[in-house]
Amino acid sequence: MFLSNLIGFTCSWTPEASLNKVLLFAGDPKADLAYERQYEQQTYHVIPEVIKNFLQYFHKTISDLIDQKVYELQSNRVSSESIEQKIYEIQDVYENSWNKLTDRFFKTSPWPEAEGIASLVGNDAVFLILYKELYYRHIYAKVSMHQLYDNMWLKPAPFPPQFQSFSQYRCKTAKKSEEEIEFLRNNPKIWNVHSVLNVLHSLVDKSNINRQLEVYTSGGDPESVAGEYGRHSLYKMLGYFSLVGLLRLHSLLGDYYQAIKVLENIELNKKSMYSRVPECQITTYYYVGFAYLMMRRYQDAIRVFANILLYIQRTRNMFQRSTYKYEMINKQNEQMHGLLAIALTMYPMRIDESIHTQLREKYGDKMLRMQKGDLQVFEELFSFACPKFLSPVVPNYDNVHPNYHKEPFQQQLKVFAEEVQQQAQLSTIRSFLKLYTTMPVAKLAGFLDMSEQEFRIQLLVFKHKMKNLVWTSGISALDGEFQSASEVDFYIDKDMIHIADTKVARRYGDFFIRQIHKFEEVSRFTKFKTAVEL
Amino acid sequence: MASTFEQMRANVGKLLRGIDRYNPENLTTLERYVETQARENAYDLEANLAVLKLYQFNPAYFQTTVTSQVLLKALTNLPHTDFTLCKCMIDQTHQEERPIRQILYLGNLLETCHFQSFWTSLEENRELIDGITGFEDSVRKYTQLKVWLNKFGWTENEDGQIFVYNQEESIKPKNIVEKIDFESVSSIMATSQ
């Protein structure tokens, strides 16, 4: 089975034929099954001329748009406005044409299958993927054109979400009908992990993206190693976005090491043509930050979250509020604030003042409770902010208990909760340490209501947990050195503990600069208002 | 003469590239590789995680002995968080089986620095570490280092070298004075024209 999967993918770009017949984009799988059975008889065998013309025109326009976008990204031009404009125009045209044609020809049946129209569009694999998206969306009567462009980067990435919702659906067996269970049992290939991995790895391999990135970051010319497909900018981008897809998939399966490893040729902090797709940047940083958090690399997690939250703050105005994109970014923004709150509680350190203020506004109360060791708050925040974990395995339908689909989440939560518990005393100890410079160990133990022996053990735990692996240089985000930049440090000499506190002078300058800007805005606005009213 | 580990390492490296790492037919090789690490006191985190992942994808192939070895080897790499990474990839049911449960308990003792309890517990379960060469030495190195570091304020870098500094210099209050950069001020200067 494995080998046939592999052969299938190396020979063609599209996911195996069996997938085409069943499901599988977004929406309710139950409806898919019902639909499939109902409309099997009505597929078109002869494609109307007007449809053929439409598809060819459609294909050409999309290709032109993609080429231009890629050209702009490569030549460092930030003209997203004109692209947005173009998309809007196309959106308009197709919303009309597509809907009219659907009404006329495909009111009660699906559009022609992708295989049927492939020759019309020169077997352009990428267009076919986009077409299939529309094909299935039509099935749910949800044709939304503006996602066409988004799909360029979302295409590899959504495999995880659709796979995700299918995987969770598959596990919620308690509510299934006999029929559905039988169907699922007979078709284990539906969205199995291998398929998704195969597609992502294929895209990565065909585009030779890793080799290209290696050369790119060492200042060379990626074209020299791109290969036949990789040279085409589109495949390059697909390769890159597939790496992000792999980052997501591994994180969802709890393999944080591999999640970060797949990005080893991508320098996260460096601006590149790839980092110009905001949703991609944000998603990448979310998963990288989360992986660092689970690996107990708090300092790296904090740095990553603070960076991207600042980025979102600055680019917020660029997004239209009503889009699906905006909602997704908003959600991840909230989640990352939650994760940052957790990380800062475990590992207090200085971060950008504006982010810190935002954080205190949203989570000040929760952070106080976490510092006091309230495990429940930790778990609630974790549940809200964590990714939707998956199981890679098909359940045994005969013998499943109702909460099977929650198990992957429970597993990750357990590891997290254990870590929190191991560090339960550290916050309190830290706050006491900050109060003194020198003291007998026994006395401090007494203040903390602990035996001296237990206190000494906790001090060891403190040193142990505060020592993080921290990225300092090099391209791979996995690299790092052990560092301890805790706000408070100490050593023990026989019976005395000697404590050092890292004092920070209040950042007045920052505060004043911000206030001055605010006043400037206000005064400009009132001048404008006054002028209008006169 | 190169050790078996060295000989296997290159081969395993190739297996782990690309889609091949998900091929269950490679499990036997990878399992033998774990065994070799245990015997020859060597370590390869990435390969070991790959084994756990294959078990995740193919539960029928799950082996308690190999998983136990992977966990024990992870402990020898403290203070790295390899042990935590492994826990994230072993499902609940298996975590409750013997001897995995015992090993997780020992791991917890080490993470919470309850070293005395750890050694006592280990004594009572010596058979757990059968075949893991150098287990006790590695753990001892970690525990004693922790205690020394506390006492003398020494630090250790990646290669295991220990730097001894003058304590007064290394651990003392730092006053971080604020620096305002020109950029932030320039924007204000512009608006006040």
Side-chain angles (χ1 to χ4, degrees), chain A residues 466-496:
Chain A
M466 289 305 107
K467 202 165 152 215
N468 277 195
L469 205 57
V470 179
W471 176 88
T472 50
S473 65
I475 298 172
S476 171
L478 263 184
D479 291 339
E481 313 178 342
F482 276 112
Q483 280 186 17
S484 180
S486 174
E487 280 183 336
V488 157
D489 208 351
F490 62 88
Y491 67 90
I492 299 180
D493 185 12
K494 295 206 194 86
D495 291 329
M496 298 291 282

mmCIF file of all heavy atoms in Angstrom, chain A residues 466-496:
data_model
loop_
_atom_site.group_PDB
_atom_site.id
_atom_site.type_symbol
_atom_site.label_atom_id
_atom_site.label_comp_id
_atom_site.label_asym_id
_atom_site.label_seq_id
_atom_site.Cartn_x
_atom_site.Cartn_y
_atom_site.Cartn_z
ATOM 1 N N MET A 466 15.275 27.065 34.499
ATOM 2 C CA MET A 466 15.563 28.394 33.945
ATOM 3 C C MET A 466 16.678 28.347 32.925
ATOM 4 O O MET A 466 16.966 29.333 32.244
ATOM 5 C CB MET A 466 15.916 29.376 35.058
ATOM 6 C CG MET A 466 14.722 29.763 35.912
ATOM 7 S SD MET A 466 13.356 30.431 34.948
ATOM 8 C CE MET A 466 12.184 29.095 35.013
ATOM 9 N N LYS A 467 17.327 27.191 32.836
ATOM 10 C CA LYS A 467 18.374 27.048 31.841
ATOM 11 C C LYS A 467 17.699 26.566 30.556
ATOM 12 O O LYS A 467 17.224 25.455 30.470
ATOM 13 C CB LYS A 467 19.377 26.013 32.352
ATOM 14 C CG LYS A 467 20.730 26.106 31.761
ATOM 15 C CD LYS A 467 21.716 25.286 32.600
ATOM 16 C CE LYS A 467 22.843 24.804 31.718
ATOM 17 N NZ LYS A 467 23.390 23.521 32.000
ATOM 18 N N ASN A 468 17.628 27.436 29.587
ATOM 19 C CA ASN A 468 16.957 27.120 28.322
ATOM 20 C C ASN A 468 17.960 26.936 27.212
ATOM 21 O O ASN A 468 19.007 27.576 27.203
ATOM 22 C CB ASN A 468 16.107 28.304 27.874
ATOM 23 C CG ASN A 468 14.749 28.366 28.509
ATOM 24 O OD1 ASN A 468 13.901 29.083 28.035
ATOM 25 N ND2 ASN A 468 14.539 27.624 29.581
ATOM 26 N N LEU A 469 17.544 26.157 26.213
ATOM 27 C CA LEU A 469 18.302 26.127 24.979
ATOM 28 C C LEU A 469 17.851 27.360 24.196
ATOM 29 O O LEU A 469 16.654 27.562 23.985
ATOM 30 C CB LEU A 469 17.954 24.856 24.208
ATOM 31 C CG LEU A 469 18.983 24.308 23.232
ATOM 32 C CD1 LEU A 469 20.297 24.033 23.940
ATOM 33 C CD2 LEU A 469 18.469 23.023 22.612
ATOM 34 N N VAL A 470 18.781 28.214 23.809
ATOM 35 C CA VAL A 470 18.400 29.463 23.154
ATOM 36 C C VAL A 470 19.107 29.599 21.811
ATOM 37 O O VAL A 470 20.319 29.416 21.727
ATOM 38 C CB VAL A 470 18.769 30.671 24.051
ATOM 39 C CG1 VAL A 470 18.408 31.979 23.358
ATOM 40 C CG2 VAL A 470 18.075 30.575 25.396
ATOM 41 N N TRP A 471 18.332 29.936 20.795
ATOM 42 C CA TRP A 471 18.925 30.161 19.470
ATOM 43 C C TRP A 471 19.732 31.446 19.499
ATOM 44 O O TRP A 471 19.251 32.473 19.944
ATOM 45 C CB TRP A 471 17.809 30.268 18.428
ATOM 46 C CG TRP A 471 18.310 30.597 17.058
ATOM 47 C CD1 TRP A 471 18.724 29.723 16.104
ATOM 48 C CD2 TRP A 471 18.453 31.906 16.482
ATOM 49 N NE1 TRP A 471 19.109 30.405 14.977
ATOM 50 C CE2 TRP A 471 18.963 31.743 15.179
ATOM 51 C CE3 TRP A 471 18.206 33.197 16.948
ATOM 52 C CZ2 TRP A 471 19.232 32.805 14.331
ATOM 53 C CZ3 TRP A 471 18.467 34.274 16.107
ATOM 54 C CH2 TRP A 471 18.980 34.066 14.805
ATOM 55 N N THR A 472 20.960 31.377 19.045
ATOM 56 C CA THR A 472 21.752 32.605 19.016
ATOM 57 C C THR A 472 22.209 32.946 17.611
ATOM 58 O O THR A 472 22.290 34.108 17.239
ATOM 59 C CB THR A 472 23.002 32.476 19.910
ATOM 60 O OG1 THR A 472 23.673 31.268 19.572
ATOM 61 C CG2 THR A 472 22.650 32.475 21.377
ATOM 62 N N SER A 473 22.543 31.918 16.842
ATOM 63 C CA SER A 473 23.043 32.214 15.495
ATOM 64 C C SER A 473 22.844 31.001 14.622
ATOM 65 O O SER A 473 22.448 29.940 15.086
ATOM 66 C CB SER A 473 24.518 32.568 15.559
ATOM 67 O OG SER A 473 25.234 31.435 15.991
ATOM 68 N N GLY A 474 23.113 31.157 13.367
ATOM 69 C CA GLY A 474 22.937 30.053 12.435
ATOM 70 C C GLY A 474 21.535 30.090 11.864
ATOM 71 O O GLY A 474 20.662 30.803 12.334
ATOM 72 N N ILE A 475 21.341 29.297 10.827
ATOM 73 C CA ILE A 475 20.065 29.383 10.126
ATOM 74 C C ILE A 475 19.000 28.514 10.782
ATOM 75 O O ILE A 475 17.855 28.930 10.953
ATOM 76 C CB ILE A 475 20.250 28.956 8.668
ATOM 77 C CG1 ILE A 475 21.225 29.927 7.999
ATOM 78 C CG2 ILE A 475 18.921 28.979 7.935
ATOM 79 C CD1 ILE A 475 21.643 29.505 6.631
ATOM 80 N N SER A 476 19.386 27.315 11.176
ATOM 81 C CA SER A 476 18.383 26.384 11.676
ATOM 82 C C SER A 476 17.837 26.822 13.027
ATOM 83 O O SER A 476 18.576 27.103 13.962
ATOM 84 C CB SER A 476 18.982 24.987 11.811
ATOM 85 O OG SER A 476 18.066 24.145 12.487
ATOM 86 N N ALA A 477 16.506 26.857 13.105
ATOM 87 C CA ALA A 477 15.862 27.272 14.345
ATOM 88 C C ALA A 477 16.036 26.240 15.449
ATOM 89 O O ALA A 477 15.723 26.505 16.608
ATOM 90 C CB ALA A 477 14.385 27.534 14.088
ATOM 91 N N LEU A 478 16.529 25.039 15.072
ATOM 92 C CA LEU A 478 16.733 24.005 16.086
ATOM 93 C C LEU A 478 18.000 24.244 16.903
ATOM 94 O O LEU A 478 18.131 23.789 18.023
ATOM 95 C CB LEU A 478 16.855 22.631 15.420
ATOM 96 C CG LEU A 478 15.602 21.762 15.365
ATOM 97 C CD1 LEU A 478 15.968 20.423 14.753
ATOM 98 C CD2 LEU A 478 15.015 21.556 16.736
ATOM 99 N N ASP A 479 18.955 24.974 16.291
ATOM 100 C CA ASP A 479 20.221 25.200 16.983
ATOM 101 C C ASP A 479 20.020 25.998 18.255
ATOM 102 O O ASP A 479 19.040 26.712 18.415
ATOM 103 C CB ASP A 479 21.178 26.000 16.076
ATOM 104 C CG ASP A 479 21.647 25.180 14.895
ATOM 105 O OD1 ASP A 479 21.578 23.941 14.981
ATOM 106 O OD2 ASP A 479 22.075 25.775 13.895
ATOM 107 N N GLY A 480 20.990 25.911 19.122
ATOM 108 C CA GLY A 480 20.905 26.741 20.324
ATOM 109 C C GLY A 480 21.991 26.429 21.324
ATOM 110 O O GLY A 480 22.651 25.390 21.247
ATOM 111 N N GLU A 481 22.172 27.361 22.250
ATOM 112 C CA GLU A 481 23.104 27.134 23.356
ATOM 113 C C GLU A 481 22.314 27.257 24.644
ATOM 114 O O GLU A 481 21.332 27.993 24.690
ATOM 115 C CB GLU A 481 24.152 28.239 23.435
ATOM 116 C CG GLU A 481 24.813 28.622 22.165
ATOM 117 C CD GLU A 481 25.796 29.764 22.383
ATOM 118 O OE1 GLU A 481 25.710 30.472 23.416
ATOM 119 O OE2 GLU A 481 26.637 29.945 21.505
ATOM 120 N N PHE A 482 22.820 26.621 25.663
ATOM 121 C CA PHE A 482 22.168 26.751 26.959
ATOM 122 C C PHE A 482 22.462 28.127 27.537
ATOM 123 O O PHE A 482 23.606 28.550 27.603
ATOM 124 C CB PHE A 482 22.641 25.662 27.922
ATOM 125 C CG PHE A 482 21.882 24.386 27.756
ATOM 126 C CD1 PHE A 482 22.502 23.260 27.253
ATOM 127 C CD2 PHE A 482 20.536 24.319 28.080
ATOM 128 C CE1 PHE A 482 21.793 22.071 27.089
ATOM 129 C CE2 PHE A 482 19.823 23.137 27.919
ATOM 130 C CZ PHE A 482 20.459 22.010 27.421
ATOM 131 N N GLN A 483 21.409 28.787 27.947
ATOM 132 C CA GLN A 483 21.585 30.102 28.558
ATOM 133 C C GLN A 483 20.620 30.231 29.710
ATOM 134 O O GLN A 483 19.579 29.590 29.735
ATOM 135 C CB GLN A 483 21.233 31.211 27.543
ATOM 136 C CG GLN A 483 22.299 31.520 26.547
ATOM 137 C CD GLN A 483 21.919 32.711 25.705
ATOM 138 O OE1 GLN A 483 21.028 33.475 26.068
ATOM 139 N NE2 GLN A 483 22.584 32.888 24.585
ATOM 140 N N SER A 484 20.973 31.110 30.608
ATOM 141 C CA SER A 484 20.045 31.354 31.696
ATOM 142 C C SER A 484 19.923 32.852 31.887
ATOM 143 O O SER A 484 20.764 33.477 32.504
ATOM 144 C CB SER A 484 20.576 30.697 32.973
ATOM 145 O OG SER A 484 19.679 30.929 34.021
ATOM 146 N N ALA A 485 18.884 33.417 31.304
ATOM 147 C CA ALA A 485 18.745 34.869 31.411
ATOM 148 C C ALA A 485 17.640 35.218 32.376
ATOM 149 O O ALA A 485 16.908 36.160 32.190
ATOM 150 C CB ALA A 485 18.447 35.452 30.042
ATOM 151 N N SER A 486 17.519 34.422 33.385
ATOM 152 C CA SER A 486 16.459 34.663 34.365
ATOM 153 C C SER A 486 16.635 36.032 34.999
ATOM 154 O O SER A 486 17.755 36.520 35.148
ATOM 155 C CB SER A 486 16.537 33.579 35.434
ATOM 156 O OG SER A 486 15.633 33.850 36.456
ATOM 157 N N GLU A 487 15.520 36.597 35.391
ATOM 158 C CA GLU A 487 15.572 37.917 36.029
ATOM 159 C C GLU A 487 16.348 37.869 37.329
ATOM 160 O O GLU A 487 16.870 38.874 37.801
ATOM 161 C CB GLU A 487 14.164 38.370 36.382
ATOM 162 C CG GLU A 487 13.396 38.950 35.224
ATOM 163 C CD GLU A 487 12.037 39.434 35.703
ATOM 164 O OE1 GLU A 487 11.550 38.932 36.734
ATOM 165 O OE2 GLU A 487 11.483 40.304 35.028
ATOM 166 N N VAL A 488 16.338 36.702 37.907
ATOM 167 C CA VAL A 488 16.937 36.545 39.230
ATOM 168 C C VAL A 488 17.931 35.395 39.186
ATOM 169 O O VAL A 488 17.637 34.347 38.624
ATOM 170 C CB VAL A 488 15.819 36.230 40.254
ATOM 171 C CG1 VAL A 488 16.381 35.525 41.459
ATOM 172 C CG2 VAL A 488 15.125 37.500 40.671
ATOM 173 N N ASP A 489 19.073 35.569 39.746
ATOM 174 C CA ASP A 489 20.027 34.468 39.785
ATOM 175 C C ASP A 489 20.654 34.372 41.178
ATOM 176 O O ASP A 489 20.613 35.334 41.939
ATOM 177 C CB ASP A 489 21.104 34.672 38.718
ATOM 178 C CG ASP A 489 21.676 33.347 38.261
ATOM 179 O OD1 ASP A 489 21.350 32.300 38.889
ATOM 180 O OD2 ASP A 489 22.457 33.330 37.297
ATOM 181 N N PHE A 490 21.225 33.226 41.490
ATOM 182 C CA PHE A 490 21.762 33.066 42.843
ATOM 183 C C PHE A 490 22.828 31.990 42.865
ATOM 184 O O PHE A 490 22.960 31.202 41.935
ATOM 185 C CB PHE A 490 20.651 32.669 43.813
ATOM 186 C CG PHE A 490 20.019 31.347 43.477
ATOM 187 C CD1 PHE A 490 20.548 30.152 43.983
ATOM 188 C CD2 PHE A 490 18.921 31.279 42.647
ATOM 189 C CE1 PHE A 490 19.976 28.936 43.665
ATOM 190 C CE2 PHE A 490 18.348 30.065 42.327
ATOM 191 C CZ PHE A 490 18.875 28.897 42.833
ATOM 192 N N TYR A 491 23.601 31.982 43.949
ATOM 193 C CA TYR A 491 24.452 30.826 44.225
ATOM 194 C C TYR A 491 24.443 30.582 45.723
ATOM 195 O O TYR A 491 24.099 31.460 46.513
ATOM 196 C CB TYR A 491 25.871 31.023 43.695
ATOM 197 C CG TYR A 491 26.680 32.094 44.379
ATOM 198 C CD1 TYR A 491 27.477 31.789 45.496
ATOM 199 C CD2 TYR A 491 26.669 33.405 43.914
ATOM 200 C CE1 TYR A 491 28.224 32.773 46.122
ATOM 201 C CE2 TYR A 491 27.407 34.385 44.539
ATOM 202 C CZ TYR A 491 28.189 34.065 45.646
ATOM 203 O OH TYR A 491 28.924 35.042 46.265
ATOM 204 N N ILE A 492 24.830 29.382 46.058
ATOM 205 C CA ILE A 492 24.796 29.001 47.475
ATOM 206 C C ILE A 492 26.209 28.751 47.972
ATOM 207 O O ILE A 492 26.974 28.022 47.343
ATOM 208 C CB ILE A 492 23.959 27.726 47.673
ATOM 209 C CG1 ILE A 492 22.527 27.992 47.215
ATOM 210 C CG2 ILE A 492 23.983 27.307 49.129
ATOM 211 C CD1 ILE A 492 21.625 26.809 47.366
ATOM 212 N N ASP A 493 26.546 29.377 49.071
ATOM 213 C CA ASP A 493 27.858 29.171 49.660
ATOM 214 C C ASP A 493 27.659 28.618 51.061
ATOM 215 O O ASP A 493 27.287 29.337 51.984
ATOM 216 C CB ASP A 493 28.596 30.521 49.705
ATOM 217 C CG ASP A 493 30.022 30.363 50.185
ATOM 218 O OD1 ASP A 493 30.502 29.205 50.250
ATOM 219 O OD2 ASP A 493 30.652 31.380 50.501
ATOM 220 N N LYS A 494 27.895 27.338 51.187
ATOM 221 C CA LYS A 494 27.644 26.612 52.435
ATOM 222 C C LYS A 494 26.187 26.795 52.851
ATOM 223 O O LYS A 494 25.299 26.172 52.301
ATOM 224 C CB LYS A 494 28.599 27.061 53.549
ATOM 225 C CG LYS A 494 30.050 26.750 53.280
ATOM 226 C CD LYS A 494 30.852 26.612 54.579
ATOM 227 C CE LYS A 494 32.352 26.636 54.315
ATOM 228 N NZ LYS A 494 32.984 27.956 54.237
ATOM 229 N N ASP A 495 25.951 27.668 53.855
ATOM 230 C CA ASP A 495 24.570 27.794 54.322
ATOM 231 C C ASP A 495 23.893 29.078 53.894
ATOM 232 O O ASP A 495 22.750 29.346 54.285
ATOM 233 C CB ASP A 495 24.536 27.746 55.852
ATOM 234 C CG ASP A 495 24.890 26.366 56.352
ATOM 235 O OD1 ASP A 495 24.572 25.401 55.628
ATOM 236 O OD2 ASP A 495 25.500 26.266 57.434
ATOM 237 N N MET A 496 24.619 29.870 53.129
ATOM 238 C CA MET A 496 24.059 31.152 52.747
ATOM 239 C C MET A 496 23.695 31.171 51.267
ATOM 240 O O MET A 496 24.403 30.591 50.441
ATOM 241 C CB MET A 496 25.086 32.269 53.004
ATOM 242 C CG MET A 496 25.482 32.423 54.444
ATOM 243 S SD MET A 496 24.139 33.075 55.453
ATOM 244 C CE MET A 496 24.219 34.809 55.034
#
